[in-house]
Amino acid sequence: GSPGASNGTVIYSVRANDLITVRTGTVVVAGGGIRRTCTVVQAGATPMLAIDPTSTNVPPYASSGRRFAVVANVPWTASRGALDTWIAVTAGHSGSGNGTVTYDVAVSSLATARTGTIAVAGGGITRTLIVRQNAVAAQVNDFDGDWISDMAVFQPAGGNWSFLYSGGGRATIQFGWSA
């Protein structure tokens, strides 16, 4: 406030405390050889940790650079489930506020879907991303394993199959009966 010679009111303001720890400050009023100190104690913010999304479906083939967001006001760490070796956290292993976790998923050769997790923990809070990898579906005419159909021609005269692979290259194998 303004300087004065009698009773008065001191007005002060405090910005929001985004930290989760308590903080203190002081207001000093002095005059006429008298000094008074007022200590201001401000509580910390409530710890907050969230992820988005909380679950995802991924294809059975390998994929890299998948991401999810972390919104936090606490330090945090991200790690895959102990048995989920087909998931690898590749970036954003830890942070001290908002961030992004990047992960890769390995190819699946399973006929059933599998589920794994990535846990983000901090400030006594844990949030879990559920990663569901779809089962392998039979890919018609995929002879080179790249999930894209290839061209195949049977030549009855020699009992040969000729393949033109979508990823490049050709092959001829004998299989079947010659006419």
Side-chain angles (χ1 to χ4, degrees):
S2 302
S6 62
N7 293 340
T9 302
V10 175
I11 299 172
Y12 67 94
S13 64
V14 179
R15 282 184 277 167
N17 184 1
D18 295 330
L19 304 173
I20 60 170
T21 56
V22 172
R23 67 181 179 183
T24 62
T26 57
V27 176
V28 177
V29 178
I34 301 172
R35 179 183 170 102
R36 298 288 186 244
T37 301
C38 177
T39 301
V40 178
V41 179
Q42 186 180 29
T46 301
M48 191 268 301
L49 176 67
I51 61 172
D52 185 42
T54 57
S55 66
T56 186
N57 290 321
V58 298
Y61 49 84
S63 57
S64 60
R66 303 187 73 83
R67 298 173 178 218
F68 66 94
V70 178
V71 178
N73 65 355
V74 296
W76 52 268
T77 59
S79 59
R80 67 168 167 77
L83 301 176
D84 303 325
T85 56
W86 53 278
I87 300 172
V89 175
T90 57
H93 292 88
S94 62
S96 58
N98 297 343
T100 300
V101 175
T102 304
Y103 64 100
D104 296 346
V105 176
V107 66
S108 175
S109 59
L110 302 176
T112 59
R114 62 183 173 182
T115 301
T117 61
I118 300 175
V120 178
I125 304 167
T126 300
R127 300 289 184 243
T128 303
L129 173 72
I130 298 171
V131 181
R132 182 178 182 278
Q133 189 172 38
N134 298 327
V136 174
Q139 180 68 26
V140 178
N141 300 327
D142 178 23
F143 303 108
D144 59 358
D146 65 357
W147 299 90
I148 301 171
S149 293
D150 303 310
M151 183 179 290
V153 176
F154 181 66
Q155 300 162 335
N160 293 322
W161 281 95
S162 294
F163 302 96
L164 178 59
Y165 298 127
S166 59
R170 301 171 180 258
T172 300
I173 61 168
Q174 188 171 27
F175 181 81
W177 296 71
S178 59

